[in-house]
Amino acid sequence: MPGTQRKSGGYQAWVVGLLSLNFGILFFDRNALNFLMPFVQSDLQLSNTQVGMFSSALSLTWALSGLAVGRISDKLGSRKPVIVIATIAFCLCSLISGLASSFLMLLGARLLMGAAEGGVMPVSHSMIVAEVAPERRGMAMGVAQNLGSNLLGSGLAPLLLVPVAVASGWRTGFYLAAVPGLVTAALIWFTLREPPVEVENHAHPKVTLREAFAHRNVILCALISILLVSYLVVCWAFMPLYLTKARGFSPETMSWLMATLGVSAGIGSFVVPAISDAIGRRPVMIFFSFLGVILPLSAIYYQGSAVVLAGVFFLGWGLNGLFPMFMATIPAESVDPRLTATLTGVVMGTGEVLGGVLSPFFAGTLADAYGLTAPLWLMLGCTIAAGICALGLIESAPRIVARREALVPAAGF
């Protein structure tokens, strides 16, 4: 059917770039409270326990939203309106955050924000699967999930929001964060088409969600999500404290060491998935999962130049490029691609609930009992366990699978 044909390469690039920008703006606001917290805490008289609750609350509703919205989108066969409505809702939540005058009001805004944002990436991935050629799918999904979120949410956010808060107050920072989302929502609505729905192939009926979860890759990707989300959130929460309090680095040195992670993640967002397009998902998942051990080990044991330590941090954080692969690409390639939004929501949601919500509390308990080195050992265990899980993955990259299938008749002949 003509309407189901993929559009030009230029349009495919626009889809990926715009969805990456949109998710980057959402992530900008997700991280905004972290960078504005020194101003917010003193103004609203918040305890440290209340500060921690903001992160857990957003992670929880983000996860639940990803599970629900992805499933609804798959059932309705409608993607573009879901992303536009969620983006506008996020903008409203940002405005409410700026208006918050109490802990409960700000907590409510974060709960609503997580609910608004959580479904965006699963549905975005399903659009990319429908629009982008399979041989470029891995890199496209990596760019959509990681490039904008890391460049805007991890790199640009502190550089913009802190000066705004100093000059005009922290509330202004939230007001400004809401505006770009309205722009990208309009661009998505007016420039992107609703992706075509695949024609039902009765010779190959659609896989049900229950059957999808019987596939080894889906289960393993959910486990890897828990482990590597835990790795990331524990690093964000405790590495700055470890570097300054346990290692004795100045706050300035700590800040650019942590900024190295954002640069690494931005580059890895397209390099790591692109490598997997060429050589396969499984070897890349295995290599970069185990490579993550060098980050906590170097922080604990390396006593040399901070510049060299930054280089090791850069390499170790390369596992960030795996996230779109185990959260969306591999599950989508392993079962019916029409379940992409659902499976992405489930895998992402599992990681957010069990990793994003629970692991910071567990790491904090370990730190209180055994010192600030304990969370880093937890990171080490998580990345080793993720590498072991990756050993069990079944290769799903279209180019590699096609190459192997072509060799089977040749071998038989």
Side-chain angles (χ1 to χ4, degrees):
M1 295 176 63
T4 64
Q5 299 299 314
R6 286 192 173 90
K7 289 197 173 185
S8 66
Y11 178 78
Q12 294 178 34
W14 174 247
V15 170
V16 175
L18 182 54
L19 293 177
S20 179
L21 175 63
N22 189 60
F23 191 62
I25 291 170
L26 300 187
F27 222 78
F28 182 101
D29 196 74
R30 176 174 180 167
N31 286 341
L33 185 59
N34 297 326
F35 303 122
L36 295 173
M37 187 52 71
F39 309 96
V40 177
Q41 184 178 32
S42 59
D43 189 21
L44 299 184
Q45 298 297 303
L46 303 173
S47 67
N48 289 323
T49 300
Q50 290 173 322
V51 170
M53 289 177 66
F54 291 130
S55 177
S56 295
L58 189 143
S59 291
L60 179 61
T61 54
W62 179 296
L64 296 176
S65 174
L67 292 169
V69 175
R71 184 64 170 162
I72 292 170
S73 175
D74 280 337
K75 280 187 170 294
L76 296 177
S78 179
R79 299 173 177 88
K80 186 173 77 168
V82 172
I83 294 179
V84 171
I85 292 171
T87 301
I88 294 174
F90 136 77
C91 296
L92 295 176
C93 292
S94 185
L95 292 174
I96 295 172
S97 298
L99 294 171
S101 57
S102 66
F103 163 72
L104 289 178
M105 186 174 179
L106 186 55
L107 181 66
R110 302 305 286 181
L111 286 166
L112 293 173
M113 182 172 289
E117 295 179 21
V120 170
M121 186 44 56
V123 180
S124 296
H125 278 316
S126 70
M127 290 185 71
I128 290 170
V129 168
E131 297 286 14
V132 177
E135 61 270 17
R136 294 190 292 272
R137 183 183 296 149
M139 184 174 69
M141 293 174 116
V143 170
Q145 181 165 334
N146 278 7
L147 184 60
S149 61
N150 284 295
L151 293 181
L152 298 180
S154 300
L156 191 59
L159 299 178
L160 290 180
L161 292 174
V162 173
V164 168
V166 171
S168 305
W170 62 269
R171 299 178 188 278
T172 305
F174 280 114
Y175 300 150
L176 292 178
V179 176
L182 297 175
V183 176
T184 54
L187 287 173
I188 290 170
W189 183 257
F190 290 110
T191 68
L192 300 188
R193 67 171 179 171
E194 178 64 35
V197 178
E198 288 190 25
V199 177
E200 189 74 24
N201 187 338
H202 295 286
H204 299 281
K206 183 176 179 178
V207 178
T208 66
L209 187 58
R210 182 176 180 179
E211 291 171 326
F213 275 92
H215 196 287
R216 184 200 307 175
N217 279 1
V218 177
I219 300 297
L220 288 174
C221 285
L223 292 174
I224 293 170
S225 179
I226 296 170
L227 293 165
L228 293 188
V229 168
S230 296
Y231 181 98
L232 260 67
V233 297
V234 169
C235 184
W236 285 332
F238 292 98
M239 187 63 77
L241 294 175
Y242 180 81
L243 292 175
T244 53
K245 293 187 176 181
R247 290 295 307 273
F249 287 110
S250 68
E252 292 77 14
T253 301
M254 178 275 293
S255 66
W256 63 261
L257 280 171
M258 295 301 294
T260 303
L261 304 183
V263 177
S264 174
I267 296 174
S269 66
F270 57 90
V271 172
V272 174
I275 295 173
S276 79
D277 282 339
I279 70 172
R281 314 293 186 214
R282 182 174 178 270
V284 172
M285 287 290 302
I286 295 169
F287 175 79
F288 281 95
S289 293
F290 284 124
L291 183 66
V293 304
I294 67 175
L295 196 156
L297 288 177
S298 64
I300 295 171
Y301 292 113
Y302 181 73
Q303 301 296 324
S305 166
V307 174
V308 175
L309 183 61
V312 179
F313 273 29
F314 178 90
L315 293 175
W317 203 247
L319 60 71
N320 197 277
L322 300 177
F323 273 64
M325 292 170 55
F326 64 75
M327 283 186 170
T329 308
I330 294 175
E333 292 172 340
S334 302
V335 298
D336 195 304
R338 285 169 289 181
L339 289 174
T340 298
T342 299
L343 292 177
T344 303
V346 170
V347 174
M348 187 180 296
T350 302
E352 284 281 0
V353 171
L354 299 181
V357 177
L358 299 181
S359 65
F361 290 106
F362 182 51
T365 301
L366 290 176
D368 287 336
Y370 303 106
L372 284 170
T373 306
L376 275 65
W377 287 112
L378 178 60
M379 290 173 58
L380 182 71
C382 286
T383 193
I384 291 174
I388 293 173
C389 288
L391 291 170
L393 290 171
I394 300 171
E395 184 56 62
S396 64
R399 183 178 300 174
I400 306 304
V401 172
R403 187 183 306 162
R404 290 177 180 176
E405 290 176 348
L407 290 176
V408 172
F413 178 79

